[in-house]
Amino acid sequence: MSIFKARVKEFEDVLAGPQDSIDLNQLRKLAFNGVPDVQSFRALSWKLLLGYLGPRRSSWTTTLAQKRALYKQFIEELVLPPGHSSNGASVDGGDGDKVDSGGVGLQDHPLSEGPESAWNTFFNDNEFLLQIDKDVRRLCPDISFFQQPTDYPCEIVVHSKGEHGRRLHERVVPAVLSSANVERKGLGMTKINLITKRSVENYAAMEEGQEAHWEVVQRILFIYAKLNPGQGYVQGMNEIVGPIYYVMASDPDLSYRAHAEADCFFSFTALMSEIRDFFIKTLDDAEGGIKFMMARLSNMLKSKDLSIYELLRSQELHPQYYSFRWLTLLLSQEFPLPDVLRIWDSVFADEQRFDFLIKICCSMILIQREAILENDFASNVKLLQNYPPIDINVVIAHARSLA
């Protein structure tokens, strides 16, 4: 039996064996060495390692049904325009006012400026939707996947019947000018740059009845931001959700792939609960904050190779110039997507979660030792901000060798 077939058999025994309870310790050991890109191994392993699914297989059907129904509710309540239900039936317009799907109650007129107005919230959402729209339209540009139509579009969104606003990208006003004057209460006129001007690389939206994968990711991020108002949407979250969605939406098991959006949302939410401190500036210095993580990387580099550490320090090449992005985005910007998936197998399988991420980052620097010691400041910045192509298995093997 080949090594690959033997590894597939090991995953089959853990994930599809006769026992009801998955041995998570055994799964971690296997996944740490990379999940074979066959069957539903990676999608299922990530759901388990991130805690979306519990170890008892008999609980999965109920968990998935409940979570998927809850996500459909999120879409109906947070994505559909105010005063409209998913089936076009009458909805409550507030204070018991019934309205049909084509109208709104007096409490919720689109021109209402009251803070409790659903329409007021609807328009305010566009502030962060603008940034999400910009970011998801250029997700993973090295592959065409996110530009392609999904086989499982959200029916209540893509069949808008001419109603504007169900599809989130329609709410973002395309920029004609490069800037505009916007009045903000109490601040007078403020000049802002309109960042919705489409560049040629930006992905296009699909026709009525269809939607591209990037549109699905946009909806996931929008709902996450709505449900987490204290944090909202922060640029870079698109790079975290992208690989998770890719894995779920590429699941060979079509019964799972059909629910990729909901499953991705809850897996992403589980991961964000662990790394949310990376995205909150006030927590930079906290134990889970990004400055703390960068300091840990610097200390590891200092202990492993004092020469490189001293050189980077003398060049004033501070960790935030390169490792801020490495750590915040879990290396999703530094390597091609297949390599990112392989890295994340190990990172998600690590019980200490981000200890191994720091080791990978340290190895990336140590592997380039000769070049770094010869380079000046500018060359080293370029090297570390645009990491050269490399066999990812070499990096991971090096990281594993770091005691």
Side-chain angles (χ1 to χ4, degrees), residues 18 21 25 30 53 78 123 133 136 146-147 152-153 167 170 175 192 207 212 221 236 257 270 282 316 319 391 401:
S21 190
N25 286 328
L30 293 176
L53 289 179
L78 302 175
F123 293 129
D133 189 76
V136 295
F146 288 95
Q147 304 171 54
Y152 303 96
R167 304 180 74 150
E170 292 175 346
I192 62 162
E207 298 296 320
L221 289 169
R257 192 190 294 188
T282 53
E316 296 188 1
D391 180 349
S401 73

Side-chain angles (χ1 to χ4, degrees), residues 3-12 15 27 30-45 247 252 342 345:
I3 294 174
F4 179 77
K5 282 184 178 175
R7 292 192 59 243
V8 169
K9 174 81 167 61
E10 287 179 315
F11 272 89
E12 282 176 341
L15 295 174
L27 177 61
L30 293 176
F32 190 79
N33 295 315
V35 181
D37 202 10
V38 295
Q39 300 181 42
S40 299
F41 289 158
R42 178 170 279 128
L44 183 53
S45 295
V247 167
R342 172 63 194 90
D345 288 342

Side-chain angles (χ1 to χ4, degrees), residues 332-346:
S332 59
Q333 289 279 277
E334 315 314 314
F335 299 100
L337 184 60
D339 292 354
V340 173
L341 304 185
R342 172 63 194 90
I343 291 168
W344 286 16
D345 288 342
S346 295

